[in-house]
Amino acid sequence: MPITIHAAYSVIEFHDIVHEHRMTPIELLDSVGLLGPDVTIGHGNMPAESYRFFAGGRDVELMGRRAVSISHCPVNIARRGRTLDSWQRYRDAGVNIALGSDTYPRDMIMQMRMASYFGKVTSGDLGAASAADVFAAATLGGASALGRDDLGRLAPGAKADIVIVDIGGRDTLRWGPVRDPIKSLVECGIADDVETVLVGGIVRMENRSIPGVELVGLRARAQAAGEEVWSRLAEWDPLRRTAEQMSPWSFPVKEDR
């Protein structure tokens, strides 16, 4: 069975495992025989090589040697002040990079853009994490992580999973002139540009409408559920923090008297 697991993601996770096992999280997984081509590691962005004080780190090498996949979620980790330290290092080692979201918004186009931008910044190379690289990670990388050669591509014998994107920008100038649609998608696109979706040849969304899903009511129910959770946050938070303490407002809120 394919395996997915979080690892090499949290600072606490890394230090606790090194303290308890004298191995990094990736080394620990390898020591119990868990690393392999059927394993996808959620994130995997905190290998030993990322730590200057951790001499001799070989986590990326280990993942590549075992043909492991990682699910890189660039927006999620950027919000935590981190990123994949070197897109090319993973690729050169043989690690299959897939893209995930793991946070709102569920926007794969945004994930591709952030992966490309941070990949260039961290490597200091404008050619790193190209539009082609991140697009492949979002499509073929995910298919490879699942062990499927019938997904992530338009080809004979593949599933008819097709996404149609409106590159007109919905009567805006956001896209500008389009020469290379893949580069423009990564640089200028957003999830709302997806117009039609087919899964296995069956239309699941058409003209930006999902049959059977009423978005206005769905958003209202989601907001009400969120308000309920936030109002009772202190009941289950170990530190008894309120929502305002755990996630302060961007600016002070003036209450009516």
Side-chain angles (χ1 to χ4, degrees):
M1 294 292 291
I3 299 167
T4 60
I5 186 171
H6 271 54
Y9 170 62
S10 162
V11 174
I12 296 174
E13 165 218 355
F14 187 95
H15 286 278
D16 280 359
I17 289 179
V18 169
H19 178 74
E20 183 173 350
H21 299 279
R22 299 296 188 267
M23 289 183 281
T24 69
I26 299 301
E27 289 172 336
L28 179 61
L29 291 177
D30 189 57
S31 74
V32 297
L34 195 58
L35 295 186
D38 56 349
V39 173
T40 298
I41 294 178
H43 303 289
N45 65 280
M46 195 170 285
E49 291 92 325
S50 296
Y51 287 90
R52 292 181 180 178
F53 63 81
F54 204 100
R58 59 192 185 104
D59 287 348
V60 176
E61 174 195 334
L62 272 176
M63 289 190 287
R65 188 188 309 162
R66 306 298 189 207
V68 166
S69 296
I70 66 166
S71 180
H72 176 36
C73 305
V75 174
N76 174 286
I77 59 175
R79 288 174 176 167
R80 286 153 177 77
R82 306 195 306 269
T83 187
L84 205 65
D85 67 337
S86 175
W87 181 280
Q88 198 60 42
R89 176 189 291 169
Y90 283 71
R91 295 286 297 274
D92 290 345
V95 178
N96 174 50
I97 303 177
L99 287 187
S101 58
D102 203 30
T103 189
Y104 255 86
R106 305 293 191 188
D107 187 336
M108 187 56 69
I109 299 174
M110 177 188 288
Q111 302 295 336
M112 288 193 290
R113 182 150 56 245
M114 292 300 101
S116 181
Y117 288 174
F118 281 110
K120 297 176 190 304
V121 170
T122 54
S123 65
D125 178 4
L126 61 84
S130 68
D133 288 337
V134 297
F135 185 83
T139 53
L140 295 175
S144 179
L146 295 172
R148 300 281 297 270
D149 60 6
D150 59 342
L151 300 176
R153 70 189 76 226
L154 298 178
K159 299 293 184 183
D161 296 346
I162 301 170
V163 175
I164 299 175
V165 179
D166 176 10
I167 62 174
R170 299 183 74 176
D171 299 322
T172 73
L173 295 176
R174 175 163 44 81
W175 281 71
V178 176
R179 175 176 174 271
D180 181 327
I182 298 300
K183 289 180 179 178
S184 291
L185 175 69
V186 172
E187 294 286 339
C188 306
I190 59 174
D192 287 348
D193 292 325
V194 174
E195 183 181 74
T196 300
V197 175
L198 291 85
V199 180
I202 300 173
V203 177
R204 298 298 187 184
M205 182 174 79
E206 189 171 15
N207 296 323
R208 297 185 174 87
S209 176
I210 304 173
V213 177
E214 199 273 301
L215 291 179
V216 174
L218 180 60
R219 280 195 294 264
R221 293 193 298 275
Q223 184 66 31
E227 300 284 354
E228 170 67 13
V229 169
W230 300 326
S231 70
R232 300 174 50 200
L233 200 63
E235 295 178 15
W236 53 265
D237 177 58
L239 301 180
R240 297 293 185 264
R241 292 171 295 180
T242 65
E244 288 70 28
Q245 291 171 325
M246 184 178 287
S247 180
W249 298 105
S250 298
F251 298 99
V253 175
K254 184 178 180 180
E255 297 183 2
D256 293 333
R257 294 184 181 274

